[in-house]
């Protein structure tokens, strides 16, 4: 069972959502409630300005500043705010730290709750029933599909996000990065590693 497709109706789900969005957009524009330029602007903000790069910057800070990391794990929303990161769909966030012994993975079993200010918009597979069910039932199988296989000795913890509380993962700092700057470290942090389906990239991979 592949996670990159909705197993029941791969194309039709996307098409249905796209059609619904277009219809809502048309009504809002027709009633003069919103201009098409405003809609384009909002999409562009989430595509280009808000996205996993903000989560990557926060992660790199946590890797290099132990006090910041403590604050991030205690109050992710507050710590992100220190860096000017926050807003809609990220009012209450919790960060779970990966260690040598524990690996965390995030899902929303009910729908697709996701920390927008830190990660941008969720990837399609995050919303599909296949991911939402299998992340809980078979998290190691899911990770293997992303090419990530933590050792058997590592405990896997699955966190179920909701509209009230959105989780994301603090990946482990890759080996061989002792002399890296925050900017270099941030380049190793991927969206998928912040969801927990993979680890951060190793320096050799970039
Ligand atoms: Fe949800």
């Amino acid at each position: 069972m592949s996670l990159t497709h909705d197993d029941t109706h791969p194309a039709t789900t996307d098409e249905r959502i796209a059609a619904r969005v277009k219809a809502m957009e048309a009504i809002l524009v027709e009633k003069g409630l919103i201009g098409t330029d405003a809609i384009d602007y909002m999409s562009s903000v989430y595509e280009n300005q808000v996205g996993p790069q903000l989560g990557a910057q926060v992660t790199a800070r946590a890797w290099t500043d132990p006090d910041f990391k403590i604050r991030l794990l205690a109050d992710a929303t507050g710590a992100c705010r220190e860096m000017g990161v926050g807003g809609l769909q990220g009012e209450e966030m919790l960060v779970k730290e990966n260690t040598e012994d524990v690996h965390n993975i995030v899902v929303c079993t009910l729908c697709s709750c996701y920390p927008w200010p830190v990660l941008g918009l969720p990837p399609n597979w995050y919303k599909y029933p296949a991911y939402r069910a299998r992340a809980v039932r078979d998290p190691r199988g899911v990770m293997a599909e992303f090419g990530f296989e933590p050792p058997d000795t590592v405990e896997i913890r699955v966190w179920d996000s909701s509209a009230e509380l959105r989780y994301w993962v603090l990946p482990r700092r890759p080996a061989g990065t002792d002399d890296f700057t925050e900017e270099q470290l941030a380049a190793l942090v991927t969206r998928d590693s912040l969801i927990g389906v993979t680890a951060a990239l190793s320096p050799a991979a970039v």
Side-chain angles (χ1 to χ4, degrees), residues 16-83:
R16 232 177 18 238
I17 292 169
R20 203 181 299 164
V21 169
K22 275 261 168 271
M24 284 168 59
E25 186 179 325
I27 290 167
L28 289 170
V29 171
E30 194 183 299
K31 290 190 179 293
L33 294 171
I34 193 168
T36 48
D37 51 344
I39 295 169
D40 291 345
Y41 171 75
M42 282 305 288
S43 318
S44 137
V45 165
Y46 275 98
E47 264 165 38
N48 304 314
Q49 292 171 40
V50 179
Q53 67 272 15
L54 295 181
Q57 285 164 19
V58 175
T59 298
R61 175 71 53 88
W63 283 344
T64 52
D65 179 343
D67 290 334
F68 178 77
K69 186 172 103 172
I70 290 168
R71 294 198 297 280
L72 181 69
L73 296 175
D75 171 16
T77 313
C80 287
R81 200 183 304 122
E82 286 178 33
M83 293 182 67

Side-chain angles (χ1 to χ4, degrees), residues 120-194:
L121 300 177
N124 278 338
W125 55 258
Y126 186 85
K127 306 176 208 168
Y128 288 150
Y131 177 74
R132 285 156 41 204
R134 284 194 53 214
V136 176
R137 208 170 55 225
D138 179 24
R140 282 185 181 273
V142 168
M143 291 182 227
E145 282 192 28
F146 284 87
F148 176 53
E149 297 181 66
D152 288 344
T153 50
V154 173
E155 179 195 339
I156 309 296
R157 292 184 189 158
V158 182
W159 300 92
D160 191 3
S161 284
S162 68
E164 285 75 38
L165 186 56
R166 291 151 204 270
Y167 294 98
W168 55 280
V169 174
L170 177 62
R172 295 178 69 196
R173 179 172 174 161
T177 58
D178 287 355
D179 55 357
F180 275 37
T181 63
E182 261 186 60
E183 201 182 334
Q184 288 172 311
L185 286 169
L188 303 175
V189 183
T190 61
R191 174 196 71 198
D192 291 355
S193 70
L194 297 169

